[in-house]
DNA sequence: GCTTTCTTACTCGGATACCTACTGTCCGAGTGGAATAGG
DNA sequence: CCTATTCCACTCGGACAGTAGGTATCCGAGTAAGAAAGC
């Protein structure tokens, strides 16, 4: 039982995307370099988020990802289920009907195995807790509890990689200087 | 993210062991044949349960497993953690310190990443729910909601495989008759 | 008939293969900006 | 100088390997029951 690290990446990415201007977007490779994770693999998770409708992708040279709706309307559960899938963690194999009780008719068993029921309740509690907090809550927590230097770092990085609103000739020069 | 089937097996085994007389025990192979699961693999999980102190193992020809304490004092969480391990499902990789914020001192970050904190809360809710219900609750649910035929099947099977309290010469004959 | 010894069958326990699913990487289709050629 | 065209760099998207952890199996050490032998 283990949560894949894609969930952590996805949540961090959503948090960063919150800091974008409404018309801005960030590419998978930019998000990957900001977080220091492999870009091709992060792209896979971002695809899953896009398919689930959590983020929106725009193609082309200036394309990238942005949040599909306000951060206050994206729960952590949305992100988790988009990346890990919404299947239940516990899958009842109905072993109560195998072995010794094999020959008994299906009608002799209650519709739900008690063990499966107990596990489902726990999982529901887990999901409920995740659905309570939104990406906005995460960002708010970040803005309040984090050192100004870290906040400035994030802000400056976004400003640096965001394409300027009005294209100018100096754009290319700047790019080449970076190398 | 997925709960291994060993958890389901372990819970069913604990439930069956509840029906034993105080001096009785059941071997791994008997429990496996009752549930229709591979015996060698079930043995592995029973070992884990024994090491965690949930069940007790007795060696030798008449050995086997029995509950280490009353079923009312064994929570579902005890069984789950014995088999799956007690490590947290979400492991924060601290990617907030990688990438762009790499050069900032460790002191600039709050002690706990907000994302990790949110995930931990959800996991705590999951564990809390599992720790509320005990093996006894499962058995009670089984005794109440299950068809008499199923209950009789379980009872008879236990009576059949349990060694008689007072050893007699007929013991061997009985065994051979079963084959 | 009783006690002691021995055999034997059964138990648990850990070490060893296999297989699914997560992790990681690659290349192709598509798009929008920028340079360029023409008017 | 302005406009239409072409080109190209950059984007996403899905298809393709590598690896860790769960699944399944085996064999060895140990024990207690029961048979057998001796008294």
């Amino acid at each position: 039982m283990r949560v894949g690290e894609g969930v952590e990446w996805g949540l961090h990415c959503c948090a960063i995307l919150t800091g974008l201007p409404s018309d801005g977007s960030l590419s998978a490779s930019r998000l990957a370099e900001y977080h220091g994770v492999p870009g091709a693999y992060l792209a896979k998770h971002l695809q899953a988020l896009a398919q689930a409708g959590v983020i929106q992708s725009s193609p082309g040279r200036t394309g990238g990802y942005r949040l599909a709706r306000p951060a206050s309307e994206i729960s952590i559960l949305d992100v988790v289920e988009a990346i890990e899938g919404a299947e239940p963690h516990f899958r009842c194999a109905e072993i109560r009907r195998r072995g010794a009780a094999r020959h008994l008719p299906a009608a002799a068993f209650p519709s739900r195995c008690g063990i499966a029921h107990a596990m489902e309740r726990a999982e529901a509690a887990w999901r409920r807790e995740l659905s309570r907090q939104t990406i906005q809550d995460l960002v708010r927590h970040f803005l309040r509890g984090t050192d100004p230097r870290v906040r400035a770092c994030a802000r400056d990085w976004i400003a640096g990689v965001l394409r300027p609103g009005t294209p100018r000739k100096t754009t290319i020069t700047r790019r080449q200087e970076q190398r």
Side-chain angles (χ1 to χ4, degrees), chain A:
Chain A
M1 183 105 173
R2 189 176 170 177
V3 177
E5 51 187 349
V7 168
E8 183 178 4
W9 299 2
L11 287 169
H12 274 285
C13 286
C14 287
I16 287 292
L17 291 178
T18 305
L20 257 54
S22 59
D23 60 338
S25 67
L26 282 176
S27 69
S29 57
R30 290 272 175 271
L31 286 167
E33 89 185 22
Y34 177 80
H35 293 114
V37 299
Y41 188 30
L42 175 64
K44 196 182 185 68
H45 294 307
L46 293 175
Q47 278 176 40
L49 284 170
Q51 283 187 343
V54 174
I55 60 179
Q56 273 182 343
S57 67
S58 50
R61 193 175 183 176
T62 57
Y65 294 98
R66 66 172 152 273
L67 294 185
R69 52 183 186 268
S72 60
E73 295 174 20
I74 300 174
S75 71
I76 296 184
L77 182 64
D78 290 333
V79 176
V80 170
E81 288 193 335
I83 292 176
E84 298 253 301
E87 290 170 16
H89 304 159
F90 180 85
R91 262 155 285 189
C92 181
E94 288 288 339
I95 68 172
R96 58 180 179 165
R97 300 189 193 183
R98 287 150 63 175
R102 192 180 334 110
H103 60 282
L104 291 174
F109 297 90
S111 60
R112 205 46 139 244
C113 174
I115 291 172
H117 184 63
M119 296 299 290
E120 282 162 14
R121 288 215 314 187
E123 195 171 322
W126 183 77
R127 294 197 135 83
R128 195 180 316 123
E129 201 66 35
L130 288 183
S131 65
R132 270 188 189 137
Q133 278 200 309
T134 67
I135 299 297
Q136 190 178 33
D137 295 327
L138 290 180
V139 172
R140 204 175 284 153
H141 178 276
F142 173 80
L143 293 177
R144 277 185 194 162
T146 307
D147 192 281
R149 281 171 293 178
V150 181
R151 293 203 301 269
C153 175
R155 185 171 15 90
D156 294 349
W157 182 86
I158 290 178
V161 299
L162 261 186
R163 259 160 272 279
T166 321
R168 285 169 299 180
K169 277 226 170 183
T170 54
T171 307
I172 291 184
T173 321
R174 231 183 244 167
R175 278 275 181 71
Q176 289 171 341
E177 278 174 359
Q178 283 186 354
R179 289 173 192 167

